């Protein structure tokens, strides 16, 4: 006969495993109703033994009461902005500057290519594998502490899926809302006579800036990681793409459109393909982000003013908004 602690731990591990398969691999192995039954079973057992509730239990996603205000968070490593390109010409010039700076004569630089998600940049800190803080980008040096709201986002794990977690790991990425989630939210708001949002990005920003996590929890927010800030007690892979794959393995969701491209023409092909896919993704993107993949080359190139020399956002032309 299992002890209560063993029953609780087994339910918690099972739920974390199913959440990983559903939210990170996009390959659920049980029906939603079965997951729901297990979650309710854990909630019931924790209500019987409240002293055994741990902050990283899958049930602990909603804070108790609303905050009066947000505390400030100082980013130990600044969250920088990206330079933009609006034409192939500007992208060629970007690559040329890199080749000259690195002394590369040929065109076989490898780029990690990602869609540029149209949401809100956030920083999530895990200490010994446990989610300990969430913050907005703010001005890049100082952001707002939105930990309670970050905890309500279902595809952000409260605990990393690894037996030897880093002492400290800061995951950076975008919180966004799907177009379907946005439309449902606005319909509900209209029905309740509440204010509606102009677009998914505003809806995501407004939901993260809610002082009451119970409201944030009802919003269909999604997180995709695109980088790492602080990393202590772990040796990271030496390319950006491999780092993203590692994040996925330990339970952090990344975007499934990310690709490696070798040479300028493959990168421009990725940009055009993402332009074709754009209307069918189900979420808003406003371009692509193209990064030098080798970390050593990123470090060699460094930053100028606030933007990295090793990355650029190649944006799409502004879409004419359909006014109905
Ligand atoms: C009632 C209910 C429960 C769960 C979910 C979504 N979902 C499913 C799983 C699953 N199938 O492994 C895991 C986590 C999760 O968040 C929905 C949409 C509705």
């Amino acid at each position: 006969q299992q002890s209560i602690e063993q029953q609780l731990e087994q339910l918690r591990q099972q739920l974390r495993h199913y959440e990983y398969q559903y939210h990170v691999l996009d390959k659920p192995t049980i029906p939603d109703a079965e997951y729901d039954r297990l979650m309710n079973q854990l909630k019931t057992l924790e209500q019987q033994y409240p002293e055994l509730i741990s902050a990283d239990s899958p049930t602990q996603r909603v804070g108790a009461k609303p905050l009066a205000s947000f505390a400030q968070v100082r980013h130990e490593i600044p969250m920088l902005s990206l330079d933009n390109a609006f034409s192939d010409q500007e992208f060629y010039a970007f690559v040329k500057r890199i080749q000259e700076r690195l002394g590369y004569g040929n065109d076989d630089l490898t780029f990690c290519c990602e869609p540029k998600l149209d949401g809100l940049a956030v920083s999530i800190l895990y200490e010994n594998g446990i989610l300990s803080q969430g913050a907005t980008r703010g001005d890049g040096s100082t952001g707002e502490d939105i930990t309670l709201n970050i905890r309500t986002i279902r595809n952000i794990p409260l605990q990393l899926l690894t037996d030897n977690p880093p002492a400290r790991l800061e995951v950076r990425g975008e919180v966004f809302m799907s177009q379907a989630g946005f439309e449902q939210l606005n319909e509900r708001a209209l029905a309740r006579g509440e204010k509606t949002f102009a677009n998914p990005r505003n809806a995501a920003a407004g939901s993260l800036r809610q002082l009451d996590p119970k409201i944030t929890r009802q919003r269909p927010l999604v997180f995709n990681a695109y980088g790492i800030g602080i990393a202590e007690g772990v040796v990271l892979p030496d390319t950006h793409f491999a780092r993203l794959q590692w994040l996925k393995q330990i339970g952090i969701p990344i975007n499934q459109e990310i690709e490696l491209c070798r040479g300028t023409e493959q990168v421009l092909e990725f940009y055009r393909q993402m332009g074709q896919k754009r209307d069918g993704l189900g979420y808003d993107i406003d371009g692509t982000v193209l990064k030098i993949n080798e970390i050593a080359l990123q470090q060699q190139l460094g930053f100028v003013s606030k933007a990295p020399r090793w990355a650029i956002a190649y944006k799409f032309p502004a879409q004419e908004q359909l006014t109905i």
Side-chain angles (χ1 to χ4, degrees):
Q1 176 56 11
Q2 274 188 323
S3 72
I4 299 297
E5 285 88 342
Q6 284 167 326
Q7 286 176 54
L8 285 166
E9 195 43 38
Q10 184 181 29
L11 277 170
R12 288 168 184 161
Q13 292 298 5
Q14 273 181 302
L15 287 163
R16 290 184 189 114
H17 170 72
Y18 293 131
E19 287 161 8
Y20 176 69
Q21 294 194 312
Y22 183 88
H23 289 295
V24 180
L25 303 184
D26 197 18
K27 295 191 178 77
T29 55
I30 58 168
D32 295 349
E34 168 62 8
Y35 169 83
D36 208 37
R37 188 186 64 75
L38 287 168
M39 178 61 87
N40 290 329
Q41 198 179 329
L42 176 58
K43 281 177 182 168
T44 304
L45 203 53
E46 288 183 345
Q47 273 151 14
Q48 288 167 342
Y49 302 90
E51 72 285 2
L52 298 179
I53 294 177
S54 58
D56 64 337
S57 171
T59 60
Q60 303 303 300
R61 284 202 174 269
V62 191
K65 53 191 178 307
L67 293 172
S69 66
F70 291 117
Q72 297 240 303
V73 167
R74 183 137 192 78
H75 299 298
E76 292 176 32
I77 299 173
M79 290 181 74
L80 298 174
S81 49
L82 288 172
D83 279 342
N84 293 329
F86 292 96
S87 68
D88 289 3
Q89 221 39 48
E90 289 180 23
F91 178 68
Y92 285 123
F94 165 72
V95 175
K96 188 165 177 291
R97 287 195 299 275
I98 289 176
Q99 287 169 330
E100 281 167 359
R101 212 167 174 87
L102 295 175
Y104 274 46
N106 45 34
D107 181 22
D108 68 356
L109 281 164
T110 299
F111 286 83
C112 184
C113 303
E114 312 167 15
K116 190 174 181 298
L117 303 172
D118 196 2
L120 220 75
V122 298
S123 156
I124 305 173
L125 184 64
Y126 288 89
E127 293 181 293
N128 298 315
I130 310 285
L131 197 164
S132 61
Q133 179 185 271
T136 62
R137 177 184 175 282
D139 64 5
S141 302
T142 307
E144 291 175 320
D145 184 328
I146 53 166
T147 307
L148 295 182
N149 290 342
I150 287 290
R151 292 177 67 90
T152 70
I153 300 174
R154 298 306 186 293
N155 78 331
I156 295 177
L158 298 177
Q159 185 193 78
L160 297 177
L161 289 184
T162 167
D163 296 334
N164 56 331
R168 289 209 304 162
L169 176 71
E170 180 196 3
V171 178
R172 295 172 168 193
E174 200 87 358
V175 170
F176 61 99
M177 197 177 282
S178 71
Q179 287 153 354
F182 166 68
E183 274 140 32
Q184 282 157 22
L185 170 64
N186 266 358
E187 270 164 36
R188 236 180 23 231
L190 265 179
R192 295 177 183 163
E194 289 161 1
K195 82 175 177 76
T196 57
F197 292 97
N199 55 54
R201 194 211 159 283
N202 289 7
S207 302
L208 280 179
R209 274 204 292 267
Q210 269 296 332
L211 287 164
D212 184 355
K214 283 190 182 52
I215 295 177
T216 308
R217 187 191 188 295
Q218 294 161 16
R219 303 289 173 82
L221 295 173
V222 180
F223 173 74
N224 279 182
Y226 54 57
I228 293 172
I230 301 162
E232 291 169 6
V234 60
V235 176
L236 296 174
D238 55 11
T239 70
H240 181 72
F241 187 76
R243 292 183 176 195
L244 294 179
Q245 297 309 317
W246 173 70
L247 287 179
K248 181 174 179 178
Q249 277 151 24
I250 64 173
I252 302 289
I254 61 172
N255 190 276
Q256 48 200 11
E257 303 296 334
I258 294 170
E259 278 178 28
L260 274 183
C261 296
R262 183 163 175 188
T264 323
E265 291 320 308
Q266 270 191 32
V267 174
L268 292 174
E269 181 50 34
F270 173 85
Y271 171 81
R272 269 180 274 289
Q273 276 176 11
M274 280 315 292
Q276 303 293 328
K277 288 182 178 179
R278 186 181 190 185
D279 291 345
L281 290 173
Y283 51 86
D284 290 351
I285 63 172
D286 57 348
T288 60
V289 178
L290 312 167
K291 301 173 182 173
I292 288 287
N293 193 40
E294 298 285 336
I295 299 300
L297 296 182
Q298 291 185 6
Q299 289 166 341
Q300 220 178 302
L301 290 161
F303 300 83
V304 58
S305 73
K306 293 180 68 154
R309 283 199 185 93
W310 42 268
I312 198 157
Y314 185 174
K315 311 283 279 272
F316 293 133
Q319 253 178 335
E320 69 289 338
Q321 293 305 325
L322 190 67
T323 50
I324 24 179

